[in-house]
Amino acid sequence: MIVVTGGAGFIGSNFVLDWLAAGGEPVVNLDKLTYAGNLENLRSLDDDARHVFVQGDIGDQPLVESLLARYQPRAVLNFAAESHVDRSIHAPGTFIETNVLGTFRLLEAVRGYWAALAGPAREQFRFLHVSTDEVYGSLAPQDPAFSEQHRYEPNSPYSASKAASDHLVRAYHHTYGLPVVTTNCSNNYGPYHFPEKLIPLIIVNALAGKPLPVYGDGQQIRDWLYVGDHCSAIRRVLAAGRLGETYNVGGWNEQPNIDIVHTVCRLLDELRPRGDGSRYETLITYVKDRPGHDRRYAIDARKIERELGWKPAETFASGIRKTVQWYLAHGDWVQRVQSGAYREWITTQYAQAA
Ligand code: NAD
Ligand code: DAU
């Protein structure tokens, strides 16, 4: 058995689906089901006894302790987090609650469980913490990509809260010997991506004939990785990562936001041309920039390749095509997401950004 937290979110649900499809052990999936948690992502597992869903908070220490005692997992993988930078700017409190205090309470529960294990169960146990490249701050155009040695320099409440969680995980290894590994990954994209984030937002707005909001000058650079590749990296680190180490995970695919938006528009022109013959790029609208917007992220993923033999399988061209095709085939998923709290969020964010 493994425990996955946040397994109803974007990356967590992709991980659970991939893990079970690959014949992995049963999964206990602990998720609070915030606005970002969507059990529809896991609908194909409804009749699969290998997936046990528990609605709950990683910060509920007694709950986590009881789950660990009951299921005796050989690993806990922590995906649960508040993940959207813009939301952290509007309302940082929940980011501190979940990403800092929640991770702390989760670590406390896991420490107690692990300390009571004996023999091979104790030796083989792992706590894998899923983190982000944003903890390293922003790069200048000519700077080398983030290595694992890059100093922590988080710039948003989101990245500061993730940095704090990384430090706690590190400290639990250093102080108590808890067997931890941490991954710091770049921007993911793919199926089940909540349409508040750039790529799904652009696809969904374009199909609805709405403006495609580009912050500032659109020249901010991100390093995009297909979500399935992130999941395979996590599996690899869980299997063979060295204890107490961090592994940077990235796609070797730096691109300015405006280029990403144009690529999505071109794919939609090809796959779902507009009725009036106009091109989707005519919907591009520059809006007010994100406060404190990091200019560039880039991941140096040589350590995970050298030590664990991991490399992304997907190119950006293949991954983004698959992603656009997925959204075109899953209009019902998008529609149900949009009929929930998501719609209120969009109104708040873009009323202020316009
Ligand atoms: P997401 O927002 O889509 O999903 C987060 C999930 O966590 C949701 O299902 C939510 O219900 C759950 N959750 C939130 N608070 C919780 C709590 N207190 N207790 C239990 N569950 C809770 O996020 P995502 O994009 O899937 O990101 C997953 C992890 O990967 C996060 O830790 C994030 O920091 C990290 N990460 C994300 C990216 C990316 O590009 N999306 C890149 C690198 C790292
Ligand atoms: O780098 C990893 C991080 O990537 C993860 O840790 C975060 O959880 C994840 O949300 C993502 O953060 P970003 O802030 O980079 O992702 P987002 O999709 O919000 O924005 C990507 C870029 O696009 C960023 O430069 C802001 C810009 N943007 C975003 C939105 C939502 C726009 O120009 N317009 C938009 O409407």
Side-chain angles (χ1 to χ4, degrees):
M1 206 87 190
I2 63 165
V3 169
V4 165
T5 73
F10 163 48
I11 303 172
S13 61
N14 274 283
F15 180 86
V16 170
L17 292 168
D18 287 3
W19 175 269
L20 291 176
E25 304 114 301
V27 174
V28 177
N29 183 350
L30 173 66
D31 195 297
K32 188 176 175 180
L33 294 183
T34 67
Y35 78 94
N38 187 345
L39 281 180
E40 287 195 20
N41 303 1
L42 300 162
R43 187 168 273 177
S44 61
L45 301 176
D46 275 355
D47 298 320
D48 193 329
R50 296 174 304 159
H51 179 238
V52 178
F53 181 77
V54 178
Q55 183 171 6
D57 194 322
I58 56 166
D60 182 345
Q61 200 176 320
L63 170 68
V64 178
E65 284 167 354
S66 72
L67 290 175
L68 296 173
R70 176 169 175 193
Y71 292 104
Q72 298 283 305
R74 64 135 175 130
V76 173
L77 286 75
N78 184 32
F79 294 82
E82 289 292 335
S83 70
H84 191 34
V85 174
D86 294 320
R87 286 182 190 260
S88 83
I89 294 167
H90 285 277
T94 51
F95 287 73
I96 305 304
E97 284 295 334
T98 285
N99 301 358
V100 185
L101 291 172
T103 304
F104 161 64
R105 297 202 175 101
L106 177 67
L107 281 166
E108 277 293 275
V110 170
R111 177 165 78 93
Y113 166 72
W114 170 75
L117 293 176
R122 184 182 165 94
E123 268 161 40
Q124 285 160 19
F125 182 79
R126 295 288 180 271
F127 180 87
L128 188 150
H129 181 59
V130 179
S131 194
T132 171
D133 61 357
E134 301 205 10
V135 297
Y136 299 125
S138 187
L139 292 168
Q142 305 309 324
D143 284 347
F146 298 129
S147 75
E148 289 78 2
Q149 276 71 47
H150 198 281
R151 69 177 173 274
Y152 269 44
E153 218 168 31
N155 289 321
S156 71
Y158 163 69
S159 53
S161 68
K162 290 295 291 187
S165 70
D166 292 8
H167 291 325
L168 283 168
V169 171
R170 177 191 154 87
Y172 271 62
H173 175 70
H174 192 78
T175 306
Y176 305 113
L178 192 71
V180 308
V181 273
T182 296
T183 54
N184 292 89
C185 188
S186 61
N187 286 64
N188 287 211
Y189 66 97
Y192 304 116
H193 205 179
F194 195 84
E196 65 185 350
K197 309 278 169 62
L198 179 70
I199 288 180
L201 181 77
I202 294 302
I203 299 171
V204 166
N205 276 16
L207 292 172
K210 291 183 182 168
L212 311 182
V214 174
Y215 295 165
D217 62 3
Q219 292 301 326
Q220 301 83 7
I221 291 173
R222 297 292 181 266
D223 178 351
W224 294 94
L225 179 72
Y226 189 68
V227 64
D229 280 325
H230 188 187
C231 294
S232 73
I234 290 170
R235 288 199 300 273
R236 195 66 203 118
V237 172
L238 179 66
R242 285 188 291 134
L243 295 186
E245 292 290 316
T246 64
Y247 292 90
N248 284 357
V249 183
W252 301 107
N253 175 49
E254 286 184 58
Q255 292 200 48
N257 293 336
I258 190 65
D259 290 6
I260 296 287
V261 174
H262 278 292
T263 298
V264 169
C265 287
R266 277 194 300 274
L267 278 166
L268 287 170
D269 286 334
E270 175 196 330
L271 298 168
R272 182 71 57 85
R274 300 184 78 191
D276 64 3
S278 66
R279 299 173 73 82
Y280 283 100
E281 66 184 18
T282 60
L283 297 170
I284 292 174
T285 308
Y286 288 90
V287 299
K288 196 174 134 198
D289 208 350
R290 169 186 283 174
H293 198 171
D294 284 337
R295 198 69 184 162
R296 175 179 165 233
Y297 304 144
I299 280 280
D300 177 343
R302 282 178 296 178
K303 178 179 174 184
I304 189 172
E305 180 173 352
R306 188 177 62 245
E307 288 191 11
L308 306 181
W310 176 87
K311 273 200 292 197
E314 210 73 56
T315 65
F316 186 69
S318 63
I320 193 68
R321 178 173 285 272
K322 278 210 281 206
T323 302
V324 171
Q325 284 169 332
W326 186 89
Y327 278 87
L328 288 173
H330 292 81
D332 50 346
W333 181 90
V334 171
Q335 207 175 20
R336 286 196 287 272
V337 167
Q338 284 182 315
S339 65
Y342 174 69
R343 208 185 293 168
E344 293 159 30
W345 161 246
I346 286 294
T347 312
T348 315
Q349 168 66 1
Y350 295 103
Q352 294 182 18

